[in-house]
Amino acid sequence: MESLLRRLAQAESETAAERLERQVITEWSKSGSATMDLLLRRGQDALERGEFDLASEHFGALTDHAPDFAEGWLGLAQAYYGDERFGPAMDALERALAIEPRHFGALRGVGAIHEQVDRPALAYRAYERVLELRPHDAEVQQALERLEMQVRGIAL
């Protein structure tokens, strides 16, 4: 995993970065249990359909049975975020980051929540960290540009 993350941070093209990112996410998605993998897939499917309560149930069961599996916490955060439950979403993201501090998806979520609740400086710092790990993220680059005036002010 260390090698994949290092190569992702140093990727010279967007295509290479996308390939490496998929590999990292595939590795992070391996729980080591067929049952936990099924709960992860069901939660992700519910998220894709916009069924946030159902996704919360699946991810809640996953995090209950596999509390050291960061992807379960990320999924739970995404379900809470979809329901605009930002406090519980941030708690779940913090759990994911305690397990995997380099989880760019969780860091991106932290940035999004801080931006949503009008904490631009905290959002900016989270997004900066994402770009350290995943420098070809165009959406995060746009977020930084959008927040720069609020955070850094006008250059003289």
mmCIF file of all heavy atoms in Angstrom, residues 7 10 16-17 25 28 35 37 45 53-54 61 66 68 76 81-82 101 110 112-113 119 141 144 152:
data_model
loop_
_atom_site.group_PDB
_atom_site.id
_atom_site.type_symbol
_atom_site.label_atom_id
_atom_site.label_comp_id
_atom_site.label_asym_id
_atom_site.label_seq_id
_atom_site.Cartn_x
_atom_site.Cartn_y
_atom_site.Cartn_z
ATOM 1 N N ARG A 7 3.432 6.286 -5.266
ATOM 2 C CA ARG A 7 3.356 6.436 -6.719
ATOM 3 C C ARG A 7 2.189 7.334 -7.118
ATOM 4 O O ARG A 7 2.300 8.120 -8.061
ATOM 5 C CB ARG A 7 3.266 5.060 -7.381
ATOM 6 C CG ARG A 7 4.596 4.331 -7.286
ATOM 7 C CD ARG A 7 4.655 2.923 -7.842
ATOM 8 N NE ARG A 7 3.642 2.498 -8.754
ATOM 9 C CZ ARG A 7 3.030 1.315 -8.697
ATOM 10 N NH1 ARG A 7 3.325 0.442 -7.750
ATOM 11 N NH2 ARG A 7 2.125 0.994 -9.588
ATOM 12 N N GLN A 10 3.073 10.900 -6.700
ATOM 13 C CA GLN A 10 4.085 11.350 -7.661
ATOM 14 C C GLN A 10 3.662 11.133 -9.112
ATOM 15 O O GLN A 10 4.459 11.371 -10.026
ATOM 16 C CB GLN A 10 5.396 10.600 -7.401
ATOM 17 C CG GLN A 10 5.976 10.894 -6.046
ATOM 18 C CD GLN A 10 7.135 9.979 -5.675
ATOM 19 O OE1 GLN A 10 7.432 9.013 -6.365
ATOM 20 N NE2 GLN A 10 7.781 10.289 -4.568
ATOM 21 N N ALA A 16 -2.365 8.054 -15.283
ATOM 22 C CA ALA A 16 -1.611 7.219 -14.332
ATOM 23 C C ALA A 16 -2.194 7.360 -12.931
ATOM 24 O O ALA A 16 -2.335 6.368 -12.205
ATOM 25 C CB ALA A 16 -0.140 7.605 -14.341
ATOM 26 N N ALA A 17 -2.545 8.586 -12.555
ATOM 27 C CA ALA A 17 -3.120 8.827 -11.236
ATOM 28 C C ALA A 17 -4.449 8.091 -11.071
ATOM 29 O O ALA A 17 -4.694 7.481 -10.022
ATOM 30 C CB ALA A 17 -3.314 10.326 -11.011
ATOM 31 N N ILE A 25 -7.943 2.195 -3.937
ATOM 32 C CA ILE A 25 -9.318 1.984 -3.451
ATOM 33 C C ILE A 25 -9.651 0.497 -3.412
ATOM 34 O O ILE A 25 -10.295 0.024 -2.468
ATOM 35 C CB ILE A 25 -10.322 2.791 -4.303
ATOM 36 C CG1 ILE A 25 -10.111 4.283 -4.041
ATOM 37 C CG2 ILE A 25 -11.762 2.375 -4.004
ATOM 38 C CD1 ILE A 25 -10.850 5.208 -4.981
ATOM 39 N N TRP A 28 -8.027 -0.788 -0.286
ATOM 40 C CA TRP A 28 -8.741 -0.335 0.906
ATOM 41 C C TRP A 28 -10.082 -1.041 1.061
ATOM 42 O O TRP A 28 -10.592 -1.171 2.167
ATOM 43 C CB TRP A 28 -8.968 1.170 0.848
ATOM 44 C CG TRP A 28 -7.784 1.999 1.224
ATOM 45 C CD1 TRP A 28 -6.701 1.611 1.956
ATOM 46 C CD2 TRP A 28 -7.574 3.372 0.902
ATOM 47 N NE1 TRP A 28 -5.833 2.660 2.107
ATOM 48 C CE2 TRP A 28 -6.330 3.761 1.469
ATOM 49 C CE3 TRP A 28 -8.304 4.309 0.191
ATOM 50 C CZ2 TRP A 28 -5.830 5.045 1.353
ATOM 51 C CZ3 TRP A 28 -7.790 5.594 0.072
ATOM 52 C CH2 TRP A 28 -6.567 5.958 0.652
ATOM 53 N N THR A 35 -18.534 -11.662 4.300
ATOM 54 C CA THR A 35 -19.729 -11.030 4.870
ATOM 55 C C THR A 35 -19.568 -9.512 4.918
ATOM 56 O O THR A 35 -20.479 -8.762 4.554
ATOM 57 C CB THR A 35 -20.006 -11.580 6.279
ATOM 58 O OG1 THR A 35 -20.160 -12.998 6.186
ATOM 59 C CG2 THR A 35 -21.257 -10.968 6.886
ATOM 60 N N ASP A 37 -17.514 -7.737 3.091
ATOM 61 C CA ASP A 37 -17.487 -7.257 1.703
ATOM 62 C C ASP A 37 -18.905 -7.118 1.153
ATOM 63 O O ASP A 37 -19.197 -6.180 0.412
ATOM 64 C CB ASP A 37 -16.664 -8.195 0.818
ATOM 65 C CG ASP A 37 -15.172 -8.131 1.118
ATOM 66 O OD1 ASP A 37 -14.732 -7.197 1.822
ATOM 67 O OD2 ASP A 37 -14.448 -9.035 0.651
ATOM 68 N N ASP A 45 -24.187 0.227 -2.985
ATOM 69 C CA ASP A 45 -25.316 0.191 -3.921
ATOM 70 C C ASP A 45 -26.449 1.106 -3.449
ATOM 71 O O ASP A 45 -27.050 1.828 -4.250
ATOM 72 C CB ASP A 45 -25.836 -1.243 -4.100
ATOM 73 C CG ASP A 45 -24.870 -2.139 -4.865
ATOM 74 O OD1 ASP A 45 -23.928 -1.622 -5.507
ATOM 75 O OD2 ASP A 45 -25.061 -3.377 -4.803
ATOM 76 N N ASP A 53 -30.855 6.101 4.205
ATOM 77 C CA ASP A 53 -31.199 5.362 5.423
ATOM 78 C C ASP A 53 -30.774 3.905 5.307
ATOM 79 O O ASP A 53 -30.199 3.344 6.248
ATOM 80 C CB ASP A 53 -32.706 5.436 5.701
ATOM 81 C CG ASP A 53 -33.137 6.805 6.186
ATOM 82 O OD1 ASP A 53 -32.272 7.570 6.667
ATOM 83 O OD2 ASP A 53 -34.336 7.124 6.085
ATOM 84 N N LEU A 54 -31.043 3.296 4.157
ATOM 85 C CA LEU A 54 -30.643 1.907 3.945
ATOM 86 C C LEU A 54 -29.117 1.786 3.936
ATOM 87 O O LEU A 54 -28.549 0.860 4.531
ATOM 88 C CB LEU A 54 -31.230 1.375 2.633
ATOM 89 C CG LEU A 54 -30.931 -0.082 2.303
ATOM 90 C CD1 LEU A 54 -31.448 -1.012 3.401
ATOM 91 C CD2 LEU A 54 -31.554 -0.439 0.946
ATOM 92 N N ALA A 61 -24.001 -1.685 10.295
ATOM 93 C CA ALA A 61 -23.716 -3.095 10.605
ATOM 94 C C ALA A 61 -22.252 -3.412 10.314
ATOM 95 O O ALA A 61 -21.592 -4.121 11.086
ATOM 96 C CB ALA A 61 -24.636 -4.006 9.796
ATOM 97 N N ALA A 66 -16.861 -4.708 11.984
ATOM 98 C CA ALA A 66 -15.481 -4.497 11.533
ATOM 99 C C ALA A 66 -15.081 -3.054 11.834
ATOM 100 O O ALA A 66 -14.910 -2.241 10.925
ATOM 101 C CB ALA A 66 -15.358 -4.813 10.044
ATOM 102 N N ASP A 68 -12.416 -1.668 12.583
ATOM 103 C CA ASP A 68 -11.100 -1.240 12.105
ATOM 104 C C ASP A 68 -11.009 -1.201 10.588
ATOM 105 O O ASP A 68 -9.909 -1.169 10.028
ATOM 106 C CB ASP A 68 -10.006 -2.163 12.665
ATOM 107 C CG ASP A 68 -9.880 -2.026 14.168
ATOM 108 O OD1 ASP A 68 -10.144 -0.922 14.691
ATOM 109 O OD2 ASP A 68 -9.535 -3.021 14.831
ATOM 110 N N LEU A 76 -20.324 5.059 5.822
ATOM 111 C CA LEU A 76 -21.274 5.591 6.794
ATOM 112 C C LEU A 76 -21.294 7.117 6.732
ATOM 113 O O LEU A 76 -22.366 7.733 6.750
ATOM 114 C CB LEU A 76 -20.910 5.098 8.194
ATOM 115 C CG LEU A 76 -21.903 5.414 9.302
ATOM 116 C CD1 LEU A 76 -23.287 4.839 9.008
ATOM 117 C CD2 LEU A 76 -21.373 4.895 10.639
ATOM 118 N N TYR A 81 -23.828 12.175 5.181
ATOM 119 C CA TYR A 81 -23.698 13.410 4.407
ATOM 120 C C TYR A 81 -24.874 13.544 3.437
ATOM 121 O O TYR A 81 -25.429 14.636 3.287
ATOM 122 C CB TYR A 81 -22.368 13.427 3.647
ATOM 123 C CG TYR A 81 -22.112 14.722 2.926
ATOM 124 C CD1 TYR A 81 -21.510 15.784 3.584
ATOM 125 C CD2 TYR A 81 -22.464 14.898 1.588
ATOM 126 C CE1 TYR A 81 -21.261 16.995 2.934
ATOM 127 C CE2 TYR A 81 -22.227 16.094 0.933
ATOM 128 C CZ TYR A 81 -21.632 17.132 1.605
ATOM 129 O OH TYR A 81 -21.403 18.316 0.959
ATOM 130 N N GLY A 82 -25.245 12.452 2.799
ATOM 131 C CA GLY A 82 -26.377 12.474 1.874
ATOM 132 C C GLY A 82 -27.670 12.884 2.552
ATOM 133 O O GLY A 82 -28.551 13.468 1.925
ATOM 134 N N PRO A 101 -4.856 7.418 8.012
ATOM 135 C CA PRO A 101 -4.694 8.873 7.926
ATOM 136 C C PRO A 101 -4.471 9.397 6.508
ATOM 137 O O PRO A 101 -4.655 10.590 6.267
ATOM 138 C CB PRO A 101 -3.458 9.156 8.789
ATOM 139 C CG PRO A 101 -3.242 7.934 9.608
ATOM 140 C CD PRO A 101 -3.862 6.790 8.876
ATOM 141 N N VAL A 110 -14.012 15.517 4.686
ATOM 142 C CA VAL A 110 -13.793 16.513 5.747
ATOM 143 C C VAL A 110 -13.819 17.912 5.133
ATOM 144 O O VAL A 110 -14.474 18.818 5.658
ATOM 145 C CB VAL A 110 -12.452 16.248 6.476
ATOM 146 C CG1 VAL A 110 -12.065 17.430 7.360
ATOM 147 C CG2 VAL A 110 -12.543 14.967 7.306
ATOM 148 N N ALA A 112 -15.302 18.847 2.359
ATOM 149 C CA ALA A 112 -16.662 19.156 1.897
ATOM 150 C C ALA A 112 -17.569 19.571 3.053
ATOM 151 O O ALA A 112 -18.355 20.525 2.928
ATOM 152 C CB ALA A 112 -17.249 17.953 1.162
ATOM 153 N N ILE A 113 -17.466 18.879 4.178
ATOM 154 C CA ILE A 113 -18.312 19.231 5.325
ATOM 155 C C ILE A 113 -17.917 20.599 5.864
ATOM 156 O O ILE A 113 -18.786 21.437 6.134
ATOM 157 C CB ILE A 113 -18.236 18.152 6.420
ATOM 158 C CG1 ILE A 113 -18.948 16.883 5.933
ATOM 159 C CG2 ILE A 113 -18.862 18.657 7.723
ATOM 160 C CD1 ILE A 113 -18.784 15.691 6.838
ATOM 161 N N ARG A 119 -16.785 26.801 7.174
ATOM 162 C CA ARG A 119 -15.479 26.832 7.834
ATOM 163 C C ARG A 119 -14.414 26.736 6.743
ATOM 164 O O ARG A 119 -13.758 25.712 6.585
ATOM 165 C CB ARG A 119 -15.346 25.676 8.818
ATOM 166 C CG ARG A 119 -16.289 25.777 9.989
ATOM 167 C CD ARG A 119 -16.017 24.677 10.973
ATOM 168 N NE ARG A 119 -16.969 24.730 12.054
ATOM 169 C CZ ARG A 119 -17.529 23.666 12.594
ATOM 170 N NH1 ARG A 119 -17.222 22.462 12.158
ATOM 171 N NH2 ARG A 119 -18.391 23.790 13.577
ATOM 172 N N GLN A 141 -8.803 20.843 -6.697
ATOM 173 C CA GLN A 141 -8.093 22.035 -7.142
ATOM 174 C C GLN A 141 -9.070 23.198 -7.316
ATOM 175 O O GLN A 141 -8.784 24.333 -6.918
ATOM 176 C CB GLN A 141 -7.342 21.761 -8.449
ATOM 177 C CG GLN A 141 -6.149 20.843 -8.250
ATOM 178 C CD GLN A 141 -5.544 20.362 -9.557
ATOM 179 O OE1 GLN A 141 -6.106 20.523 -10.631
ATOM 180 N NE2 GLN A 141 -4.373 19.755 -9.456
ATOM 181 N N LEU A 144 -10.069 24.533 -3.897
ATOM 182 C CA LEU A 144 -9.026 25.400 -3.338
ATOM 183 C C LEU A 144 -9.068 26.784 -3.966
ATOM 184 O O LEU A 144 -8.951 27.799 -3.259
ATOM 185 C CB LEU A 144 -7.650 24.768 -3.526
ATOM 186 C CG LEU A 144 -7.332 23.598 -2.599
ATOM 187 C CD1 LEU A 144 -6.038 22.922 -3.018
ATOM 188 C CD2 LEU A 144 -7.267 24.049 -1.153
ATOM 189 N N ARG A 152 -7.065 33.154 2.226
ATOM 190 C CA ARG A 152 -5.789 33.868 2.110
ATOM 191 C C ARG A 152 -5.973 35.383 1.940
ATOM 192 O O ARG A 152 -5.030 36.133 2.106
ATOM 193 C CB ARG A 152 -5.003 33.323 0.936
ATOM 194 C CG ARG A 152 -4.755 31.832 1.039
ATOM 195 C CD ARG A 152 -3.349 31.503 0.743
ATOM 196 N NE ARG A 152 -3.157 30.075 0.692
ATOM 197 C CZ ARG A 152 -2.542 29.396 1.644
ATOM 198 N NH1 ARG A 152 -2.072 30.003 2.677
ATOM 199 N NH2 ARG A 152 -2.394 28.091 1.527
#
